[in-house]
Amino acid sequence: MSIRGWSSAGLFLVAVTAAGRLNVPAPPLPEARSENHVVALTLHAAVNAEGKDSFAYNGKNIAPVIRVFPGDSLKIDYENDLPVHSAESCAISPCKNMTNLHFHGLEVSPQSPQDNVIDMMAMPGDTLHYLVKIPIDHPPGLFWYHTHPHGESHRQALDGMSGAIVIEGMERYVPEVHNLQEQILVVRGESIEHSADGAGLLRRVDAGPSSCGSEHEATERVFTVNGEIRPTIGIIPGERQFWRVVNASADQYLDLQVDKQKLEIVALDGMPLAYHEPKHPTKVVGHALIPPAGRLEAIVTGPDAGAHAALRTLCVDTGSAGDPNPAMVLADLRAGTSAPAAPLRRNRKLAPPEYKSIDVGEYENSQPDFTVVFTEDKNGFYINGQKYEPNAAPMTHARVGTYQHWRILNSSAELHPMHIHQTHFLVFAEDGKPVENPVWLDTVNVPVGGTVDVVMDFTNPVIKGMSLFHCHLLNHEDKGMMAKILFE
């Protein structure tokens, strides 16, 4: 998540043709919900009708939204039905069609059978059995799940093997959202390389020039919203809706803007703003930069009737070595019709909200406990001069129950989003200068040639074990920009 801007969006979609004709509305995403404090489901890795790797759930190639309460357990049988020999290409060839699941942003154990992406791996024909225990004091918000096999993560994410997770209870921090129409939006990147009409797809989304800075390559992707290219979002003029958006793309940035409206930010990366700043539960912005893997939850007000408005991403300059992230329309807002009603949400009495704060001042004047340096060359991508090796020792250790000051340095010519598993961190400085409004994230954008300083929160006892941190441009992670950390 960038510390310079923030974002938003919606669901219940209608696809639009290049000529503007409406197709049949897309149905809401299926949901897997808690029964007797357990969310139980079977998820398959399979090849869909387009020949791409896909999640399959209840007989359809679509990823469900998983809704879970603090204190519940998430029980998933994950069956790898992919063929032994893949027809696709991977960052590390040949593709083995191995797969697993990462529960991105959840503050849960990295040990089996929970969020262990190092040792839990399913080859074709194998089944993994996950039992993830959500702590009773887990913050509410939007999280997500995606595959995480080193060397094949980028291909599987680009194919769309991802889905949203909602930890219930946001109304404890922002009571208004309880009565608002909720929309969950999963934004993914879709390659136009093999499209019969790639130029037509770019015109359809009103894509701008491929470069808004020093990038040199042609545009390779358009965005989809819950699987649709440029759908419409129904919202009545003046209506307030609660939008929850995840950037589930493999390697693309979003700088989201709703025409003619501000975004009233409620949470970032699954962390309510009020959790650490109870006197400032929301923040109003004009647009929001969301790196790959970032999430944002916001209240959005419907624009005036008759005013054409769109949800769009602005162009993002990713640096001279970066990939193009041009401006384009993600969805059109349709005035006069509200979104269809979402399935009835189950209420459960939850504990009063908890709040947690730290004194940033003691870290602003301290030297880092650990420094992460991102570099790259023609042979790969590195953290502190090392490529990731599955059998490598941890690059660093952290004592559970403590905080650490980390500095992330980007010594390359392109942006890198840094993500750490199991925990959140407070972003308090960029390029050595204090951030005006520090925010808690699990994925932070690191500017070209710049630094970001954060306070890592390692105080949660459930995170004990071997974990990972890495660049969330998954092609970079696959090619080496990842390292282990041991929570002990």
Side-chain angles (χ1 to χ4, degrees):
M1 178 68 63
S2 169
I3 53 183
R4 297 186 177 184
W6 314 3
S7 101
S8 72
L11 170 70
F12 305 109
L13 317 169
V14 183
V16 182
T17 68
R21 294 170 296 180
L22 299 178
N23 292 331
V24 177
L29 297 173
E31 295 188 346
R33 296 191 174 201
S34 179
E35 297 284 351
N36 298 318
H37 299 279
V38 176
V39 180
L41 66 147
T42 299
L43 192 67
H44 299 261
V47 177
N48 64 19
E50 298 175 349
K52 295 181 179 180
D53 293 350
S54 171
F55 283 146
Y57 173 70
N58 284 349
K60 297 181 179 180
N61 289 110
I62 189 167
V65 175
I66 297 172
R67 305 191 77 105
V68 62
F69 286 86
D72 287 354
S73 293
L74 178 56
K75 183 179 180 181
I76 300 178
D77 294 327
Y78 183 44
E79 300 182 6
N80 186 351
D81 297 332
L82 296 172
V84 174
H85 301 289
S86 174
E88 300 193 69
S89 60
C90 294
I92 301 177
S93 295
C95 293
K96 299 179 181 178
N97 271 349
M98 57 185 178
T99 190
N100 59 8
L101 297 176
H102 170 45
F103 304 98
H104 185 116
L106 292 186
E107 298 183 5
V108 296
S109 171
Q111 302 185 56
S112 299
Q114 302 197 57
D115 191 23
N116 183 349
V117 300
I118 299 173
D119 301 315
M120 292 185 72
M121 192 70 65
M123 302 304 293
D126 292 343
T127 299
L128 297 175
H129 303 284
Y130 289 94
L131 182 59
V132 181
K133 298 179 180 179
I134 311 298
I136 191 66
D137 58 351
H138 199 291
L142 180 65
F143 302 85
W144 66 303
Y145 59 100
H146 61 88
T147 62
H148 209 295
H150 180 61
E152 305 189 28
S153 295
H154 182 264
R155 172 179 60 84
Q156 294 183 8
L158 190 59
D159 280 354
M161 298 184 74
S162 58
I165 300 175
V166 173
I167 303 292
E168 304 283 14
M170 184 61 72
E171 63 275 8
R172 291 185 295 158
Y173 294 90
V174 185
E176 182 187 3
V177 304
H178 181 68
N179 297 315
L180 298 183
Q181 170 68 49
E182 177 193 90
Q183 303 211 52
I184 296 175
L185 179 149
V186 180
V187 179
R188 300 186 181 95
E190 182 167 306
S191 175
I192 62 174
E193 179 183 2
H194 303 296
S195 171
D197 186 19
L201 286 176
L202 292 173
R203 288 193 298 270
R204 178 169 160 182
V205 297
D206 292 342
S210 61
S211 173
C212 56
S214 49
E215 313 97 327
H216 302 295
E217 300 178 4
T219 300
E220 298 178 342
R221 312 260 200 277
V222 294
F223 285 107
T224 64
V225 177
N226 289 359
E228 297 287 349
I229 295 174
R230 194 170 177 173
T232 62
I233 299 171
I235 184 168
I236 295 171
E239 177 189 8
R240 287 166 68 78
Q241 294 185 356
F242 182 35
W243 290 4
R244 315 180 96 160
V245 57
V246 52
N247 182 354
S249 66
D251 53 12
Q252 291 169 272
Y253 279 80
L254 293 170
D255 191 356
L256 294 187
Q257 174 183 285
V258 176
D259 294 345
K260 305 177 178 66
Q261 291 295 335
K262 299 288 188 179
L263 307 172
E264 190 174 333
I265 307 303
V266 169
L268 296 168
D269 284 3
M271 183 65 70
L273 300 188
Y275 187 81
H276 295 92
E277 294 286 345
K279 294 182 180 180
H280 303 283
T282 63
K283 181 177 178 65
V284 177
V285 299
H287 63 100
L289 182 63
I290 309 181
R295 286 96 60 216
L296 182 141
E297 297 165 80
I299 298 171
V300 178
T301 302
D304 294 339
H308 178 267
L311 170 67
R312 64 183 72 244
T313 178
L314 307 178
C315 190
V316 178
D317 180 1
T318 60
S320 59
D323 296 328
N325 271 245
M328 65 182 71
V329 175
L330 302 179
D332 294 292
L333 274 61
R334 171 178 271 188
T337 59
S338 180
L344 183 64
R345 281 180 278 176
R346 294 175 184 161
N347 294 321
R348 185 187 299 178
K349 187 175 181 179
L350 298 174
E354 296 186 7
Y355 302 99
K356 186 176 185 179
S357 62
I358 64 170
D359 181 7
V360 178
E362 65 178 284
Y363 298 98
E364 290 177 334
N365 300 314
S366 69
Q367 290 300 308
D369 297 296
F370 182 65
T371 299
V372 177
V373 181
F374 287 148
T375 56
E376 59 186 80
D377 59 28
K378 64 180 180 180
N379 296 314
F381 298 82
Y382 311 87
I383 293 180
N384 295 358
Q386 300 178 39
K387 280 188 177 183
Y388 177 77
E389 293 291 343
N391 296 323
M395 181 176 287
T396 187
H397 297 66
R399 184 165 58 86
V400 174
T402 65
Y403 294 97
Q404 284 190 2
H405 173 188
W406 282 28
R407 178 168 294 156
I408 304 104
L409 169 63
N410 180 359
S411 294
S412 77
E414 64 179 309
L415 298 182
H416 293 288
M418 199 287 293
H419 169 59
I420 186 168
H421 293 202
Q422 321 312 139
T423 192
H424 286 74
F425 47 80
L426 176 67
V427 182
F428 70 88
E430 182 175 322
D431 293 338
K433 299 178 181 179
V435 174
E436 183 176 353
N437 296 299
V439 291
W440 288 84
L441 307 170
D442 63 42
T443 306
V444 64
N445 177 54
V446 189
V448 173
T451 61
V452 171
D453 283 75
V454 307
V455 178
M456 290 285 180
D457 183 354
F458 299 139
T459 60
N460 192 334
V462 305
I463 69 172
K464 187 175 181 180
M466 189 73 76
S467 193
L468 297 168
F469 59 97
H470 59 89
C471 173
H472 220 286
L473 298 176
L474 293 179
N475 191 42
H476 296 181
E477 180 263 295
D478 280 345
K479 294 181 178 180
M481 199 172 272
M482 181 163 71
K484 294 179 182 178
I485 178 172
L486 179 61
F487 300 127
E488 56 188 359

